[in-house]
Amino acid sequence: MIRSKMLLVSGIALLLVLGGCSKKTEDEGTETKEATSSAPATPIDMSTVGDVSGKITLNGTAPTLKPINMSAEPYCSKAHPTPVTPQDVVVGSGGALQNVVVYVKDGLGDRTFDVPKDSVQLQQKGCMYEPHVVALMAGQTLQVVNADQTTHNIHPIPKDNREWNKSQPPGASPIEDTFARAEVSIPVKCNVHPWMKSYIAVFKQPYFVVTGADGSFDLKNLPPGTYTIEAWQEKYGTVDQQVTVGAKELKTVNLTFNAAASGD
Amino acid sequence: MGMNRALNRFAVLTTGCTFLLLIAGALVTGNDAADSVPDWPLAYHRIIPPLTGGIRFEFAHRAVAGVVATLTLVLAVWIARRERRRWVRNVGWTALGLVVAQALLGALRVLKGDPAVTATSHATLAQLFFVSLICLTVFTGEWWQSHQPVLRDAGSPSLRALALTTSVIIVIQTILGAGYRHGAFGIWPHLVGAGAVTAAVIVVARNARVRFGEVKSLRRSVIFVHAFFGLQIVLGGAAWWAVQAQQRAPQPLPLLVGITVAHVLGAALLLSASVVLTLRCYRLIPARREATEFSGRAKHSTEAAV
């Protein structure tokens, strides 16, 4: 009697595990198929291309962010003798906004593009992500490096791509992965060190850039046409502007986020 | 009925360890550490992972879960061997089945993510498993197995039904709470649930007092339901404040983690108190049909004697 009851419990357990595993395999299969079915790139006449450049700024006062407390992890604490603040909003002189993804949202039509062979690197250094925001093309390799002498886990939480979560002990070889679908932007977390947050923006086209400390951007080699240029910031969302680029034309687009938009 | 004191004490021990497991599980969520160990059943391909950062919470949760699963297995087998009441044996097996299912849900949470579904289910089942052990503790205890007076409930609906309904509403509320905590629902369903629990607790407590105010065991149960309900309302408000205050924090803050963990434990205590009240009602008050049959038989035997 006891044996039969225990067998029943074990049987239900086994069925649940098998059910869970089979679904995971299906998901992975679909993802691989989408990533590999890319069409040949549409040729672009390089003699007519133009540029769109500009600056991203913040209008208003940036929120005061509380410093990160790394005392739970001695290695991380030692890496930062002075307190570190989160990189949610990094504002430079004149309101220049760093870590903003600027990209062509609309106007490229059905053009297709080659996926770059070189990888984009996301580094874990001093228990922080460097850079805080990375952008790459769908199918392009993301290389995650652990430069720390402590264990991290890398956990992108996408809406349209496959979620994954991998551990990376100190000295482990880089983790390489790709994202099959365009998505702006995928939050990345380290659950071992809950203050570690980063974002990955994925595009189907190569016209994107992440702003540096001066908030400037330059989208080069755009074919003549009318485009919607959009900027995404993790706390303030998106702003956009339409621009028409003629042959060999250099256009300027300045976009401004409103500090009140975050609700802080 | 002979009571096995050692078995009852073991049931109490298992229930106590499960309460610790609830704490460990709530700490994992509170510290945002659920995904800090990406593999299962091993952790970082080892039995003991590097105990750093969020891994400490996740590994402690798994370790305590292993202890509780073992204790539950021993308890179920012990009950199966020593217990004469078949239905108690079945409750023992149910508890074992729940802890196995709970371990598998935990594995799914780790391996598949999707916390809105897997973590909400895991958190809900945790409460149900805890309740199953509370039931075993009551069933194997002295009070349940000793002679108790039969109470007649003339009220409608019966106190049994009211107590059972209250327990079911609290279970639904724990699902809504877990769903809010893990992103499956917004706050509104949980607030509506709090209103429903408030109404249910008031109704059941009032009826218990009016109908059976002199019955010590029911009076005590109602006091516990009241106490944990009041505590839970305060903790719920504090948890809401904690969630709002933490929105701009770069990481989970210890005080706020403490409040949300306490709110989860408060739910377990309130549900347990309500279930104990329900069980006591079922033990003391026969169902209407049973009561009618009983009085009918008594009448017949009196007539025959006359």
Side-chain angles (χ1 to χ4, degrees):
Chain A
M1 184 69 174
I2 294 175
R3 193 174 294 169
S4 67
K5 291 264 167 99
M6 289 183 74
L7 274 172
L8 181 68
V9 170
S10 313
I12 292 167
L14 191 65
L15 277 173
L16 276 167
V17 169
L18 289 174
C21 290
S22 65
K23 190 171 181 298
K24 190 175 186 182
T25 314
E26 282 167 25
D27 290 348
E28 283 169 359
T30 318
E31 185 86 9
T32 311
K33 196 178 172 185
E34 178 144 340
T36 52
S37 63
S38 55
T42 311
I44 290 173
D45 181 2
M46 293 304 284
S47 63
T48 61
V49 294
D51 285 6
V52 175
S53 59
K55 190 172 178 178
I56 309 296
T57 51
L58 180 69
N59 178 31
T61 312
T64 312
L65 299 168
K66 290 177 184 170
I68 295 167
N69 178 5
M70 297 189 185
S71 58
E73 175 71 75
Y75 172 82
C76 304
S77 281
K78 277 184 196 164
H80 298 280
T82 54
V84 183
T85 49
Q87 293 173 292
D88 301 18
V89 182
V90 183
V91 184
S93 62
L97 205 48
Q98 194 179 334
N99 295 327
V100 177
V101 186
V102 187
Y103 52 95
V104 174
K105 183 192 178 189
D106 200 18
L108 288 164
D110 296 330
R111 286 189 180 92
T112 53
F113 301 91
D114 285 330
V115 176
K117 296 273 186 284
D118 50 336
S119 58
V120 171
Q121 197 177 78
L122 179 63
Q123 196 169 200
Q124 298 153 110
K125 196 175 175 186
C127 303
M128 298 289 281
Y129 284 112
E130 273 187 25
H132 180 61
V133 177
V134 293
L136 74 171
M137 276 185 74
Q140 188 175 5
T141 302
L142 173 75
Q143 187 183 60
V144 187
V145 176
N146 184 4
D148 285 331
Q149 289 305 306
T150 187
T151 300
H152 292 294
N153 78 297
I154 303 95
H155 184 196
I157 310 159
K159 284 183 179 148
D160 301 328
N161 283 280
R162 175 179 50 88
E163 184 176 340
W164 51 268
N165 182 15
K166 294 175 184 174
S167 58
Q168 198 172 37
S173 51
I175 290 170
E176 293 193 339
D177 213 318
T178 58
F179 296 94
R181 302 175 188 99
E183 187 171 348
V184 183
S185 287
I186 302 169
V188 183
K189 284 170 84 171
C190 170
N191 304 94
V192 180
H193 310 105
W195 61 83
M196 286 178 69
K197 285 162 194 157
S198 172
Y199 289 89
I200 302 169
V202 187
F203 298 94
K204 284 208 162 174
Q205 43 83 8
Y207 302 104
F208 55 81
V209 68
V210 181
T211 59
D214 62 356
S216 68
F217 70 91
D218 193 359
L219 299 169
K220 290 181 175 171
N221 300 329
L222 273 165
T226 300
Y227 299 102
T228 305
I229 307 296
E230 188 164 78
W232 173 90
Q233 205 279 343
E234 63 185 89
K235 209 160 182 63
Y236 300 117
T238 57
V239 289
D240 61 30
Q241 189 179 314
Q242 214 169 52
V243 61
T244 300
V245 181
K248 294 185 177 180
E249 215 174 1
L250 305 177
K251 282 286 178 82
T252 301
V253 170
N254 292 319
L255 294 167
T256 303
F257 285 94
N258 195 345
S262 75
D264 285 332
Chain B
M1 280 187 282
M3 184 214 167
N4 189 332
R5 204 169 291 276
L7 176 61
N8 180 244
R9 282 180 182 159
F10 191 76
V12 172
L13 172 73
T14 309
T15 308
C17 288
T18 304
F19 192 71
L20 295 179
L21 179 57
L22 290 177
I23 296 174
L27 279 171
V28 169
T29 304
N31 286 287
D32 197 11
D35 293 302
S36 60
V37 180
D39 50 339
W40 189 94
L42 292 176
Y44 288 78
H45 311 295
R46 292 150 63 173
I47 293 172
I48 300 175
L51 296 175
T52 179
I55 301 171
R56 292 170 302 169
F57 297 108
E58 172 64 13
F59 183 70
H61 180 44
R62 291 188 190 187
V64 180
V67 171
V68 166
T70 308
L71 290 174
T72 310
L73 173 68
V74 172
L75 181 65
V77 172
W78 192 345
I79 288 173
R81 287 182 179 277
R82 298 288 175 193
E83 181 58 57
R84 283 189 210 157
R85 295 166 293 173
R86 190 177 171 182
W87 60 273
V88 177
R89 295 202 298 270
N90 286 338
V91 177
W93 291 121
T94 303
L96 181 61
L98 286 175
V99 81
V100 172
Q102 183 64 344
L104 291 168
L105 269 177
L108 280 178
R109 169 68 190 88
V110 170
L111 300 174
K112 295 197 69 63
D114 194 8
V117 176
T118 54
T120 302
S121 311
H122 191 57
T124 303
L125 200 61
Q127 301 278 3
L128 295 178
F129 169 60
F130 184 63
V131 163
S132 73
L133 292 175
I134 291 282
C135 290
L136 284 174
T137 303
V138 171
F139 297 150
T140 57
E142 190 174 0
W143 182 88
W144 188 273
Q145 297 183 77
S146 60
H147 176 75
Q148 299 294 339
V150 177
L151 306 178
R152 292 184 191 278
D153 186 3
S156 180
S158 69
L159 191 63
R160 282 165 56 127
L162 288 174
L164 182 63
T165 306
T166 303
S167 296
V168 170
I169 289 172
I170 295 171
V171 168
I172 293 168
Q173 172 66 342
T174 60
I175 296 171
L176 297 175
Y180 170 63
R181 194 159 152 82
H182 297 288
F185 315 116
I187 187 66
W188 282 108
H190 191 44
L191 291 177
V192 171
V197 171
T198 306
V201 165
I202 289 170
V203 169
V204 78
R206 188 176 181 281
N207 279 281
R209 260 201 312 273
V210 169
R211 296 182 205 175
F212 304 107
E214 75 290 353
V215 182
K216 195 176 168 187
S217 56
L218 291 183
R219 208 171 56 233
R220 268 191 188 171
S221 289
V222 168
I223 288 170
F224 275 110
V225 170
H226 267 167
F228 292 136
F229 170 73
L231 177 72
Q232 194 56 351
I233 288 291
V234 172
L235 287 172
W240 171 248
W241 165 79
V243 168
Q244 300 308 311
Q246 192 170 282
Q247 275 180 349
R248 280 179 61 181
Q251 65 211 89
L253 304 175
L255 173 68
L256 311 180
V257 172
I259 292 170
T260 49
V261 169
H263 190 45
V264 171
L265 300 178
L269 292 172
L270 175 60
L271 179 58
S272 302
S274 178
V275 165
V276 169
L277 174 64
T278 307
L279 293 177
R280 287 186 167 179
C281 286
Y282 272 73
R283 175 73 178 86
L284 298 173
I285 309 164
R288 289 272 153 72
R289 191 164 46 83
E290 288 169 30
T292 312
E293 282 170 10
F294 178 78
S295 60
R297 276 202 302 274
K299 193 180 172 190
H300 280 301
S301 57
T302 311
E303 283 168 0
V306 171

